[in-house]
Amino acid sequence: MTEQVFRLIPATQNYPWGKKGSSSLVAQLADGSGIPDFKINESNSYAEMWMGTHPNAPTRVHGTKQLLSEHLAAHPELVGESVIKRFGLENGQIPFLFKILSFDKALPVQIHPDKHTAEHVHSENPRACVDSNHKKEMALALSNFSALCGFLPTSRISEFLAFVPEFASLFPADIKARFASGACSPDESGREAALKDLLSCYAQIDKAEAAAQLKRLVERYQAGKESDEEKDTKSLVLQLHNMYPNDSDVFCAFILNHFNLKPGHAFSVTAGEPHVYITGDIIECMATSDNTITLASSPPSHLDFLSNVAYSPTPGKTLIQPTMFTRGSTSTAGSLLYNPPINELAAKGGVESHRELRGPSIAVVVEGEGTVMWAEGAKRLGLGKGQVVFIAAGTEVKYSAFETAFKLYRAFVEVA
């Protein structure tokens, strides 16, 4: 009989926007995770640590080095029959992908396709869409975290067009006039149409002209000549420009909502919602997918950004409010549940007893040392920073800390 709780070996991704060397939380956790021959290189960027069954960076079973998907295919009871049926899982897959991310630079402006689009495009061109799933996701801040997500209200974009001449110069007069008219529409569809018109033009702007206008904008800001309407956005523009000089995506500061999260704050990203993660460390849980469409490089014949983006302006993001998973839990002790409006996802972090769940889960330790116990305490496994475990469906576990704080995050799925 296979164990219900066992160690995993995650995988890392070294994208250029990741933090370098030991400054990256990803590198710190990977160093303790048991990845064979892993050694931190201070000149390398460590962007993501993946925990799941996605083939682009698959997790393995610690000890045997067998793919987690192969192990689960041989032991489907670890996932649970109800979960397998609910999500149509095959070949040992689980329905979520768990990640740690460390950002030193902003990602490109991007969206993720919905499930119908992913299935259609993947069947016709697997290179354009690497899998057939959507990629709805939840991000939970582990440090101070900055991001752009969702379109600004059209009234706010209109203000920027009126008070930021460098931004306004990117658009023809007729486009600006139509946007000004549509932005004031009492009808939501009218505002969305105005936004679509403006973004379609923005996606085709001349890069050299945009770079020239950005240079003028930065020089004006550095000289302290911003208007009152620009003051809240000035520092963001300068920050993005320092990361990517002359990049037209910097102007997205005048199109997308910007917000800063403190540790413990969380939000979800839906299909088609434009977003840019800028700086910080987060833990992320998503449907098992790696499908991404960027504004700069979407191939029109397959996955086009403009055709798949959700044109829904909003005044900001609503944070996911954690609830008690166990009685008496607080922000500093116990177990809190972050439950986003996404069928596949739910994640929690804490220290104590956890009831059995009707589905599989993966937990990662981000701080301290402790023990996980199961089988009514008859079995136990010591865990330290960076170590990852799989917990089978129907398994009650208890966590105990050693002399220091013991903090872990657990992602799971349940089917009633």
Side-chain angles (χ1 to χ4, degrees):
M1 180 178 177
T2 188
E3 285 292 357
Q4 295 172 297
V5 180
F6 51 89
R7 285 266 313 274
L8 299 176
I9 301 174
T12 59
Q13 300 278 40
N14 302 90
Y15 303 128
W17 45 259
K19 292 183 179 179
K20 288 189 178 295
S22 54
S23 68
S24 170
L25 179 60
V26 168
Q28 296 170 29
L29 298 180
D31 195 38
S33 68
I35 297 174
D37 303 318
F38 182 87
K39 185 177 181 180
I40 298 176
N41 184 327
E42 295 298 336
S43 63
N44 284 354
S45 297
Y46 296 93
E48 301 187 1
M49 187 170 85
W50 289 29
M51 298 159 282
T53 54
H54 197 285
N56 282 7
T59 293
R60 294 180 179 272
V61 177
H62 189 271
T64 67
K65 308 299 189 294
Q66 183 183 28
L67 287 173
L68 175 60
S69 58
E70 293 178 352
H71 185 71
L72 297 180
H75 303 282
E77 71 277 4
L78 299 177
V79 178
E81 182 180 0
S82 60
V83 172
I84 293 173
K85 288 183 177 180
R86 168 64 178 80
F87 295 102
L89 302 175
E90 298 178 339
N91 304 316
Q93 297 295 305
I94 58 175
F96 62 86
L97 178 60
F98 206 21
K99 294 182 182 181
I100 303 286
L101 294 87
S102 290
F103 305 90
D104 201 29
K105 290 184 176 181
L107 277 68
V109 181
Q110 61 185 252
I111 60 173
H112 306 303
D114 60 28
K115 191 169 180 64
H116 173 75
T117 300
E119 289 174 342
H120 174 71
V121 176
H122 180 71
S123 67
E124 293 192 346
N125 189 334
R127 294 184 63 184
C129 206
V130 297
D131 54 67
S132 60
N133 207 6
H134 59 181
K135 194 185 176 186
K136 296 179 179 180
E137 59 195 34
M138 177 180 69
L140 171 63
L142 299 177
S143 66
N144 291 334
F145 171 60
S146 175
L148 296 167
C149 191
F151 290 108
L152 284 165
T154 51
S155 58
R156 182 64 171 139
I157 298 175
S158 288
E159 287 182 0
F160 285 135
L161 287 171
F163 290 98
V164 186
E166 299 85 357
F167 176 55
S169 70
L170 302 177
F171 305 97
D174 61 327
I175 294 291
K176 288 184 285 189
R178 288 205 299 270
F179 183 82
S181 176
C184 301
S185 172
D187 181 47
E188 182 178 349
S189 62
R191 296 191 298 274
E192 291 181 359
L195 184 57
K196 183 175 183 179
D197 201 24
L198 188 78
L199 190 66
S200 297
C201 182
Y202 176 77
Q204 302 174 56
I205 58 176
D206 180 84
K207 301 300 182 184
E209 174 61 19
Q213 292 297 336
L214 179 58
K215 183 175 184 293
R216 295 187 185 100
L217 176 64
V218 168
E219 289 175 348
R220 181 165 65 85
Y221 280 178
Q222 290 173 337
K225 297 180 179 180
E226 71 277 5
S227 64
D228 289 343
E229 289 76 12
E230 300 170 86
K231 288 186 183 297
D232 291 342
T233 310
K234 172 183 174 179
S235 61
L236 173 62
V237 169
L238 294 177
Q239 179 187 27
L240 293 174
H241 175 261
N242 286 336
M243 293 177 177
Y244 299 105
N246 305 320
D247 192 321
S248 61
D249 275 0
V250 173
F251 284 106
C252 277
F254 301 115
I255 298 175
L256 302 179
N257 287 296
H258 176 237
F259 56 97
N260 295 299
L261 297 184
K262 299 293 185 182
H265 289 173
F267 68 95
S268 61
V269 179
T270 63
E273 187 170 22
H275 58 286
V276 179
Y277 294 161
I278 301 174
T279 57
D281 305 295
I282 64 171
I283 196 158
E284 190 177 51
C285 194
M286 64 195 66
T288 301
S289 176
D290 198 27
N291 290 323
T292 297
I293 314 169
T294 63
L295 177 61
S297 60
S298 62
S301 60
H302 300 295
L303 274 179
D304 178 51
F305 186 98
L306 298 174
S307 298
N308 288 278
V309 70
Y311 295 97
S312 301
T314 61
K317 291 292 290 184
T318 299
L319 298 182
I320 298 170
Q321 298 301 317
T323 58
M324 289 190 298
F325 187 76
T326 52
R327 187 182 300 274
S329 296
T330 69
S331 61
T332 58
S335 299
L336 297 177
L337 174 69
Y338 292 84
N339 193 12
I342 302 170
N343 287 339
E344 288 89 344
L345 309 182
K348 62 176 180 288
V351 183
E352 59 195 10
S353 297
H354 288 174
R355 63 171 174 81
E356 62 180 56
L357 300 173
R358 298 181 299 276
S361 60
I362 292 176
V364 57
V365 179
V366 299
E367 181 183 337
E369 296 180 329
T371 300
V372 58
M373 295 169 283
W374 69 102
E376 297 183 343
K379 296 183 178 182
R380 64 182 59 210
L381 185 63
L383 295 175
K385 183 175 179 178
Q387 294 184 341
V388 184
V389 292
F390 180 92
I391 303 171
T395 304
E396 182 180 357
V397 294
K398 182 177 182 180
Y399 307 98
S400 62
F402 291 164
E403 295 182 359
T404 59
F406 181 47
K407 183 179 291 186
L408 63 83
Y409 290 87
R410 183 181 178 189
F412 69 93
V413 63
E414 277 196 295
V415 174

